[in-house]
Amino acid sequence: MGLSCCCCVGVRSLVSKNKRRTVLNAAESPCGAAVNLDLVAVHPRVVAMGFPATGFEATFRNSGDDVKQYLDAKYGAKYWVYNLCCEAQHQYDAAFFYHRVSSYPFRDHTPCSLAMLLAFVTEAEQYLAQDPANVVVLHCKAGKGRTGLFACCLLLRLMPTDSSVASASESLADRMIRYYGEQRTTNGKGLTIPSQIRTVRNFAEAQRRHLLLPSQLHAVTPVVRLTGIRLSHLHNLLSFSAVILEQWPPLPENGNAADERTVDAGGNERTASITVAPPRAAVREPASVSTPRGAMSQPMWRQPSVTVLWDATWEPSTLSSSAVDGSIMTIQWKKPIALRGDFRVELRRKPTDRCASCVAAVSAHSLFLTLQYSVPELDQADRALKGMDYPADTCLELLLS
């Protein structure tokens, strides 16, 4: 199939690391040719895979032609592809998969908004309900983290009481995370980013409260007012120069933002001095997917505007106080910042960089808010503190008015 020479297959297997692959000889394969793809059915109706690449990238990721040939042979016209990438190089014309494509783009190593997840699951459920043979195919770049977030939330709808994943000592969300890890990887580590895990748990709680649509979630989501953050030991252990507070979308009551950073289609950050504006894509209920959607140049969800509401390196005049008392550092600003829905706090080495310089971060939702986050609950902190002997009470705390 396509680029599946011995050399390419070996390289792809190394790149996919501990992810399970579909490996079939010509006699077993539905398309009559040998298959070795970073693709696996984590549920009879849910497929997770790596990006269907073209050109040089296809030498170390899935070949898009091979993926298409396999999906066509196995599922015919009864599959729908979901692209979760926001990077420009990981976009493609929906015509490649016969216009059976939806785009839900968000940044790598972070969760998306809870409203986006609710919209996706509702759309996927509608598609699956149209025909018992229909299957959804999820992919991001590597086909593990962002894909796992969407897969776990969809599985919470498809198999909420399935005895095959039952465990008395686990929550329903944790069962699905474990189940996905077992199905997608050989070491059980499918979903590992703490904020993505937290978002699955928030989704499960929203489902328990019968908040199944973005509008239902929005109606009960409270506004919280953040006055600052407190770092216990972290300021002594991590080298950072910026504290970034983001929200999707911002609240008008915060007034004019000094800077708004948006992530363009290439995943690159650009800064412009503008007034806080409504989100680019309004939260709306998903439409029926009975008819093919258009090209991915007009997706239902676009990469949302990421507004930096406060940055310690940019606006020292907004600080009320910044004090260090032994092992505790408290940063407070003069005017509380109103937050509603999804937001993220990042400690970065440089304010203009993203994941490369992020040393610790937490994503949260104002309806399911926890105020204190230990090291295992912070994104990337375990990597930044690897090998360090840090105190058990090392944490980041959110301060509310």
Side-chain angles (χ1 to χ4, degrees):
M1 292 177 67
L3 294 170
S4 296
C5 63
C6 293
C7 179
C8 290
V9 168
V11 171
R12 292 172 192 160
S13 296
L14 287 174
V15 170
S16 66
K17 297 180 181 178
N18 294 316
K19 287 177 290 180
R20 295 189 187 277
R21 303 177 63 87
T22 293
V23 181
L24 302 170
N25 59 39
E28 299 169 322
S29 172
C31 47
V35 172
N36 192 323
L37 293 171
D38 180 10
L39 176 155
V40 66
V42 297
H43 179 274
R45 308 192 71 185
V46 181
V47 174
M49 69 176 185
F51 181 75
T54 57
F56 175 73
E57 191 176 9
T59 62
F60 58 91
R61 297 198 191 278
N62 282 336
S63 161
D65 291 333
D66 290 358
V67 167
K68 181 179 179 180
Q69 185 177 347
Y70 176 78
L71 293 176
D72 287 350
K74 187 170 180 63
Y75 302 111
K78 298 184 182 298
Y79 66 89
W80 196 283
V81 179
Y82 290 88
N83 183 1
L84 311 181
C85 297
C86 69
E87 303 87 355
Q89 66 270 31
H90 294 130
Q91 306 302 314
Y92 48 83
D93 193 329
F96 184 75
F97 288 116
Y98 317 102
H99 294 280
R100 297 195 300 268
V101 177
S102 292
S103 178
Y104 286 83
F106 61 104
R107 285 188 285 144
D108 201 3
H109 306 296
T110 68
C112 65
S113 71
L114 196 53
M116 181 187 280
L117 276 171
L118 291 171
F120 154 72
V121 170
T122 302
E123 179 188 330
E125 276 193 309
Q126 290 174 355
Y127 176 69
L128 293 175
Q130 290 172 11
D131 190 315
N134 282 354
V135 170
V136 299
V137 181
L138 308 173
H139 78 78
C140 48
K141 182 173 67 175
K144 191 171 80 75
R146 286 176 285 187
T147 295
L149 173 59
F150 272 50
C152 288
C153 292
L154 182 56
L155 291 173
L156 281 165
R157 291 280 182 91
L158 295 180
M159 45 190 294
T161 58
D162 195 314
S163 60
S164 66
V165 296
S167 172
S169 61
E170 289 178 306
S171 68
L172 189 56
D174 289 346
R175 294 179 205 173
M176 293 307 164
I177 292 169
R178 174 176 57 83
Y179 175 81
Y180 168 76
E182 292 169 350
Q183 299 300 310
R184 184 65 177 110
T185 69
T186 58
N187 61 0
K189 295 180 180 180
L191 200 62
T192 58
I193 303 294
S195 287
Q196 291 180 341
I197 292 172
R198 186 179 306 110
T199 301
V200 174
R201 292 169 180 164
N202 290 345
F203 180 92
E205 179 59 20
Q207 180 171 273
R208 188 189 69 80
R209 299 188 193 183
H210 304 288
L211 305 174
L212 306 180
L213 297 172
S215 58
Q216 295 170 337
L217 175 71
H218 182 75
V220 298
T221 297
V223 174
V224 297
R225 286 174 171 79
L226 198 66
T227 62
I229 64 170
R230 180 177 293 127
L231 306 174
S232 297
H233 305 290
L234 280 171
H235 64 290
N236 293 327
L237 296 168
L238 298 176
S239 173
F240 69 93
S241 60
V243 180
I244 311 296
L245 176 62
E246 304 171 338
Q247 185 174 35
W248 320 273
L251 285 181
E253 69 176 270
N254 287 315
N256 291 351
D259 290 88
E260 181 181 83
R261 294 182 181 179
T262 61
V263 180
D264 62 24
N268 301 310
E269 194 178 66
R270 60 184 179 84
T271 303
S273 180
I274 62 174
T275 301
V276 171
R280 293 182 184 176
V283 174
R284 64 181 179 88
E285 315 302 347
S288 170
V289 294
S290 56
T291 56
R293 221 179 284 280
M296 288 183 68
S297 58
Q298 296 180 328
M300 176 179 152
W301 287 83
R302 281 176 287 176
Q303 175 67 17
S305 177
V306 177
T307 297
V308 178
L309 296 179
W310 185 78
D311 182 330
T313 63
W314 297 351
E315 302 227 29
S317 61
T318 64
L319 282 174
S320 172
S321 64
S322 178
V324 178
D325 181 14
S327 61
I328 298 176
M329 179 180 185
T330 302
I331 302 173
Q332 291 185 296
W333 39 87
K334 294 177 181 178
K335 180 183 176 182
I337 296 176
L339 300 170
R340 186 182 190 187
D342 301 276
F343 65 93
R344 184 172 176 84
V345 178
E346 290 189 358
L347 307 183
R348 297 187 197 164
R349 291 194 178 93
K350 296 179 181 179
T352 56
D353 293 341
R354 284 213 176 270
C355 294
S357 71
C358 178
V359 293
V362 59
S363 293
H365 192 282
S366 65
L367 182 60
F368 309 106
L369 191 57
T370 300
L371 298 182
Q372 196 173 86
Y373 300 87
S374 64
V375 170
E377 297 170 319
L378 294 171
D379 301 353
Q380 307 214 28
D382 58 339
R383 183 182 304 176
L385 298 176
K386 188 174 182 179
M388 292 188 185
D389 185 19
Y390 55 86
D393 60 342
T394 302
C395 68
L396 181 152
E397 184 179 355
L398 306 178
L399 306 177
L400 302 183
S401 59

